[in-house]
Amino acid sequence: MTFVIMFLEFFKTGLFAIGGGLATLPFLYDMAAKYPWFNEAILSDMIAISESTPGPIGINMATYAGYHVGSQYFGIPGGIFGAILTTTALVLPSLIVILIIAKFLERFKTNQFVKDAFYGLRPAVTALIAYAGYQVVAESLFRFSTFFETMQIGDLFVWNAIILFIVLMVLSRVFKKIHPAAWIGIAAVVGILLKF
Amino acid sequence: MRLLWDLFFTFFRIGGLTFGGGYAMLPMLQNELVEKRKWTTEEELLDYYAVGQCTPGIIAVNTATFVGQKIKGFWGAVFATAGVVFPSLVIISIIAGFIQNFSHLEWVQHAFAGIRVAVAVLVVNAVLKLWKSGIKDILGIIIFIVTFVVSAVFSLSPVFVVIAAILVGILAGQVKRRTKK
């Protein structure tokens, strides 16, 4: 029975969490309060783990909860079954919705309204992504909170991160053929060696 | 059948190499789908992100479903989606099963401070590429600036931004055709 409820809860999350990973968080907090599957402390650990492992947080949390609950009943096989079950439940609504939209777009690709809509959308989405990019840059290269406390201009810049940023920027423009993941690997090693 | 596995493993790589969620996935998608495989164009990628902003689910999953469906129909969508989810499934099961306090390890934190810088570089590069395919005229520049400022000042849900941009696009199209006649 627990498995059925878990499937339905994660299906609901997948259906109503609109706009990407962090949108699943309120649903997950709600689940933490309602069921004994995981608590808020585990959830905040999970947010940290999701930032340090590949993959979207919603998927990671679904996998974690499914594994955790399943393994209480049937050990490791139960855990794996639970993880697959909850992850499938989370993904299924968007799979269905996107398949329908993809079919719709295929048919109406030449429709003038659809064309105009996407003409307006592309710059807007570029801006949304650019703003997300700005936030990533600001968080990793600057320390605004420390700066506003001390008002020392030197506290604003994270120098080692800024230097790494410039070096990687130049290298990635010179060696365009190199897979983006390689830069992530290099940066991880530099971070460990220089104790970022 | 080969194409299905090709979809699975391409998205498996994308899912396994993306740190930090939806937007950080963009450089990987550009590299694997647009440049290497030529499965989609930059414009289509933008369209998928736009649709992903206002439909349920995680953007990475939505993009996988879209591309899979385009390349090989229903099963293409299923294989691509399974591929993008699979790395998380494996990694988190291992962490849930064996390692506690993974993210509190000191070297992990150092590594991720470094990785965040690389992600910043990759996202900036990705945005520069998108700029070329997403913004073609003055109206595009205006929509870009307004959206950027609005997202920075108000923490508005992207859903509203998307709806507003659709309306502006349709309106601009109407005006353009009227004035041409």
Side-chain angles (χ1 to χ4, degrees):
Chain A
M1 197 57 207
T2 311
F3 287 111
V4 177
I5 298 172
M6 269 213 303
F7 184 89
L8 291 176
E9 279 290 339
F10 278 99
F11 187 86
K12 195 178 84 186
T13 305
L15 187 60
F16 292 114
I18 293 173
L22 293 178
T24 55
L25 280 182
F27 292 91
L28 295 172
Y29 277 109
D30 185 49
M31 265 188 247
K34 256 180 22 202
Y35 302 103
W37 306 332
F38 50 86
N39 56 32
E40 287 185 15
I42 293 176
L43 194 54
S44 55
D45 267 6
M46 203 58 222
I47 295 169
I49 290 176
S50 292
E51 278 168 11
S52 33
T53 51
I57 174 148
I59 302 284
N60 290 352
M61 200 61 228
T63 304
Y64 184 87
Y67 187 93
H68 192 68
V69 174
S71 64
Q72 285 170 352
Y73 288 87
F74 307 108
I76 291 176
I80 293 168
F81 171 75
I84 293 173
L85 182 85
T86 47
T87 307
T88 309
L90 186 73
V91 168
L92 210 53
S94 58
L95 190 74
I96 296 167
V97 170
I98 294 294
L99 277 174
I100 293 168
I101 292 179
K103 281 256 186 300
F104 173 86
L105 281 182
E106 242 167 51
R107 192 171 306 162
F108 295 99
K109 219 167 22 185
T110 49
N111 178 292
Q112 196 57 50
F113 280 107
V114 174
K115 273 192 191 166
D116 287 344
F118 277 109
Y119 165 81
L121 266 179
R122 284 181 194 136
V125 174
T126 308
L128 287 177
I129 297 171
Y131 181 64
Y134 158 78
Q135 283 177 313
V136 177
V137 171
E139 272 166 35
S140 51
L141 306 189
F142 304 101
R143 281 210 191 91
F144 288 107
S145 52
T146 325
F147 170 66
F148 287 129
E149 260 170 42
T150 61
M151 289 318 258
Q152 299 275 313
I153 195 80
D155 286 342
L156 178 60
F157 305 105
V158 186
W159 287 111
N160 54 5
I162 290 174
I163 292 167
L164 181 63
F165 181 86
I166 295 169
V167 170
L168 286 179
M169 198 56 158
V170 172
L171 286 177
S172 68
R173 317 229 105 213
V174 176
F175 303 101
K176 284 190 174 164
K177 292 271 169 216
I178 289 180
H179 198 282
W183 304 119
I184 289 184
I186 291 169
V189 173
V190 172
I192 294 170
L193 293 180
L194 302 183
K195 296 206 185 299
F196 264 45
Chain B
M1 201 60 206
R2 254 200 77 179
L3 194 54
L4 287 179
W5 286 112
D6 219 16
L7 275 165
F8 179 87
F9 283 112
T10 302
F11 276 96
F12 179 86
R13 264 203 305 282
I14 294 170
L17 297 174
T18 302
F19 292 85
Y23 292 110
M25 188 166 275
L26 196 58
M28 306 291 171
L29 291 170
Q30 283 173 329
N31 179 282
E32 294 276 355
L33 303 181
V34 181
E35 283 151 31
K36 258 197 223 154
R37 314 255 158 184
K38 308 229 180 327
W39 280 341
T40 63
T41 61
E42 297 269 355
E43 277 94 353
E44 281 173 315
L45 215 50
L46 264 179
D47 296 350
Y48 299 156
Y49 262 68
V51 174
Q53 292 288 348
C54 41
T55 52
I58 294 142
I59 292 178
V61 173
N62 292 351
T63 308
T65 309
F66 256 126
V67 176
Q69 141 80 23
K70 188 194 163 198
I71 301 300
K72 203 82 178 77
F74 173 78
W75 287 109
V78 172
F79 271 70
T81 307
V84 86
V85 168
F86 203 69
S88 307
L89 203 62
V90 175
I91 292 167
I92 298 296
S93 290
I94 292 170
I95 289 180
F98 302 104
I99 311 166
Q100 303 293 327
N101 297 331
F102 167 77
S103 50
H104 299 301
L105 298 174
E106 205 187 329
W107 68 269
V108 173
Q109 288 177 353
H110 289 315
F112 279 95
I115 285 177
R116 274 195 290 276
V117 177
V119 169
V121 170
L122 293 176
V123 172
V124 169
N125 282 339
V127 170
L128 292 177
K129 276 186 211 162
L130 283 185
W131 178 274
K132 282 180 211 154
S133 48
I135 291 149
K136 301 229 155 108
D137 50 22
I138 281 289
L139 183 66
I141 294 175
I142 294 171
I143 295 177
F144 178 92
I145 292 171
V146 170
T147 309
F148 193 94
V149 171
V150 165
S151 335
V153 177
F154 315 100
S155 45
L156 207 61
S157 162
V159 178
F160 295 110
V161 173
V162 166
I163 293 170
I166 288 175
L167 293 179
V168 171
I170 291 175
L171 201 69
Q174 295 292 329
V175 171
K176 226 187 267 173
R177 273 184 295 283
R178 294 266 162 81
T179 46
K180 257 183 203 162
K181 271 175 200 167

